[in-house]
């Protein structure tokens, strides 16, 4: 089973699993164990998630520790999550349990064997049209696309920069775009409820400039009109949900599916396009 969402304020309904709340797409990070199992984990290191020193890649799957009973949320410090099932899940289990749910699979490490195994699982479960390659790295993304070019993929970090340059110089309408999704953060959350180590992002002026550059309604509309889906991460407060959808985003990534569900049910905003219409 999927983890429970964090405990909501008293005005919200009780926590539910992401799928019970009507989540339309899952975002997962994949790591490879020593014995070759593809598992779902945001970190390669186990300490933050399981209070155990060491890397997932140094252990066989059967030896992986359980998640902490109460884990601090990475994008929402001082807030915690719990869940029914504390096992570190395998990607295969997720594909088995949710065969028709679109899934964004992020590869953060340059590990060709991991990429190959993810691709093999995607093919075995016949879900190439609803599974998205994601990576910030051009090198890793090139490997992913070479391994399985049939899968849609996101803009890498350098491609986002190219996208912005084309937009602000007026060349974007003439630029071919091979990507299916744009996934990027809402800069205004940095420092407000998301702490970063990068010193340059500690300056409010830098955050305001980045927010102005990225959060442009006309940019999002242009991409959506071209069939590219736009997801903004990782938003955990209702004003940010509202801003993202008013800007025209296809969807948002959140640690609080209960809170997002409550917002969507009560906001009366126009419904975004479905999260599975690639191809």
């Amino acid at each position: 089973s999927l983890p429970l969402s964090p405990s909501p304020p008293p005005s919200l309904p009780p926590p539910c699993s992401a799928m019970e709340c009507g989540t339309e797409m899952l975002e997962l990070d994949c790591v490879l164990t020593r014995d070759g199992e593809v598992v779902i984990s945001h970190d390669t290191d186990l300490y933050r998630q399981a209070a155990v020193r060491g890397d997932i890649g140094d252990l066989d799957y059967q030896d992986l520790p359980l998640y902490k009973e109460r884990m601090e949320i990475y994008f929402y410090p001082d807030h915690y999550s719990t869940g029914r099932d504390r096992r570190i899940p395998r990607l295969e289990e997720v594909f088995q349990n949710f065969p028709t749910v679109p899934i964004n699979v992020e590869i953060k490490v340059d590990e060709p064997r991991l990429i190959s195994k993810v691709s093999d699982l995607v093919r075995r479960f016949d879900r190439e049209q609803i599974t998205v390659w994601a990576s910030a790295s051009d090198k890793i993304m090139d490997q992913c696309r070479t391994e399985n070019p049939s899968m849609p993929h996101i803009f890498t970090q350098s491609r986002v920069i190219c996208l912005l340059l084309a937009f602000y110089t007026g060349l974007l309408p003439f630029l071919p775009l091979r990507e299916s999704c744009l996934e990027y953060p809402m800069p205004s959350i940095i420092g407000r409820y998301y702490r970063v180590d990068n010193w340059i992002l500690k300056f409010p002026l830098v955050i305001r400039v980045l927010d102005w550059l990225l959060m442009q309604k006309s940019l999002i509309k242009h991409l959506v009109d071209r069939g590219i889906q736009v997801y903004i991460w990782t938003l955990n407060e209702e004003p940010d949900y509202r801003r993202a959808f008013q800007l025209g985003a296809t969807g948002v990534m959140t640690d609080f599916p209960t809170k997002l569900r409550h917002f969507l049910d009560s906001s009366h905003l126009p419904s975004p396009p479905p999260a599975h219409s690639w191809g």
Side-chain angles (χ1 to χ4, degrees), residues 49-52 63-69 85-88:
Q49 300 177 135
V52 172
D63 297 325
L64 291 179
L66 297 176
Y67 282 128
K68 294 177 183 175
E69 290 187 17
D85 189 344
R86 292 167 50 212
R87 296 176 306 112
I88 296 177

Side-chain angles (χ1 to χ4, degrees), residues 118-130:
V118 169
S119 177
D120 289 345
L121 285 168
V122 169
R123 286 193 172 103
R124 181 166 28 121
F125 286 91
D126 191 25
R127 50 176 301 123
E128 286 174 298
Q129 297 306 308
I130 58 169

Side-chain angles (χ1 to χ4, degrees), residues 48-49 67-72 78-83 86:
R48 183 184 70 88
Q49 300 177 135
Y67 282 128
K68 294 177 183 175
E69 290 187 17
R70 188 169 178 263
M71 189 191 309
E72 186 175 35
D78 302 322
H79 293 75
Y80 295 84
S81 181
T82 59
R86 292 167 50 212

